[in-house]
Amino acid sequence: MDFDRAVEEALRIIHEKNPDLSCAAEVAEQVGVGAVVFNDLRRERIKDVEFDWDEILSFEGETGPYVQYTHARLASIQRKAKDRGEGEGEPDWAALEDARGVLLRIGRFPDVLRSAARNAEPSEVSTWLLGLSREVNGWYASHRVLGQDSGVTTARLALVRATQQALAAGLKLLGVAAPEEM
């Protein structure tokens, strides 16, 4: 395994997707190294590790960069909200009725951690991270967060913040960085 190659490839992908990113080299380091580490930890310890450069560095699918990108996307929403002065009102929690999947996944985090520790199985954490990323991306695709009624925006931003914090905590436990931008 060559971390330098992973970082170089991540930098190439970042330049394609976000050529104006000011901290591209730093993010490429986080994504490249994170992709290799996440790939190793996402499978059960008793299974062979499959290594495919295109697969592990993909920003879509069952990969570390996908989870990192989800984290960065949620951070971006929060930066925009702060710049616009949104999310300061009283939350309308009813606006999260259809976010049940995201909320349930976040709520399962402590149990996942206990099980992963008890079984010495980091793949349980990576599987949970992938599931939470899929869940929040599905929710986000059909729900605008910013520019809504104040109470709706505030509640949705709380969900975005909680999800981002959970993703960051899970990635940190695996030794993978959680970039704020990608």
Side-chain angles (χ1 to χ4, degrees):
M1 224 169 307
D2 185 353
F3 283 114
D4 291 336
R5 179 175 175 195
V7 171
E8 288 171 16
E9 191 61 24
L11 185 59
R12 183 189 63 75
I13 294 167
I14 289 168
H15 281 313
E16 285 175 10
K17 292 186 176 283
N18 190 357
D20 298 328
L21 185 64
S22 62
C23 53
E26 178 185 345
V27 172
E29 179 85 18
Q30 294 173 337
V31 172
V33 171
V36 173
V37 170
F38 193 91
N39 183 67
D40 286 349
L41 297 177
R42 78 178 176 100
R43 291 178 176 78
E44 293 178 26
R45 292 178 301 117
I46 61 171
K47 295 188 177 178
D48 290 338
V49 173
E50 298 172 23
F51 199 85
D52 176 337
W53 284 109
D54 293 331
E55 179 185 324
I56 71 162
L57 286 166
S58 175
F59 283 41
E60 299 171 3
E62 305 287 304
T63 67
Y66 172 69
V67 176
Q68 290 173 309
Y69 180 72
T70 301
H71 177 272
R73 188 177 192 188
L74 298 176
S76 174
I77 293 168
Q78 291 179 81
R79 281 191 305 276
K80 287 178 185 171
K82 185 177 180 184
D83 291 346
R84 295 178 177 184
E86 292 188 48
E88 303 297 322
E90 186 68 30
D92 177 4
W93 298 118
L96 300 182
E97 285 181 26
D98 51 0
R100 172 176 282 154
V102 178
L103 293 166
L104 287 173
R105 287 221 186 245
I106 292 170
R108 288 189 192 117
F109 191 40
D111 292 334
V112 168
L113 294 180
R114 280 190 286 278
S115 177
R118 182 177 52 251
N119 299 322
E121 191 56 73
S123 68
E124 293 183 35
V125 175
S126 58
T127 299
W128 176 84
L129 285 165
L130 290 165
L132 179 58
S133 295
R134 277 191 306 274
E135 199 71 52
V136 76
N137 281 313
W139 174 82
Y140 177 71
S142 58
H143 296 85
R144 288 186 53 94
V145 174
L146 304 179
Q148 304 302 301
D149 181 59
S150 177
V152 171
T153 293
T154 302
R156 289 180 177 171
L157 277 171
L159 179 67
V160 165
R161 192 170 29 263
T163 306
Q164 182 199 13
Q165 290 170 351
L167 290 172
L171 286 167
K172 183 177 182 177
L173 285 169
L174 296 178
V176 176
E180 296 284 318
E181 295 180 88
M182 282 179 69

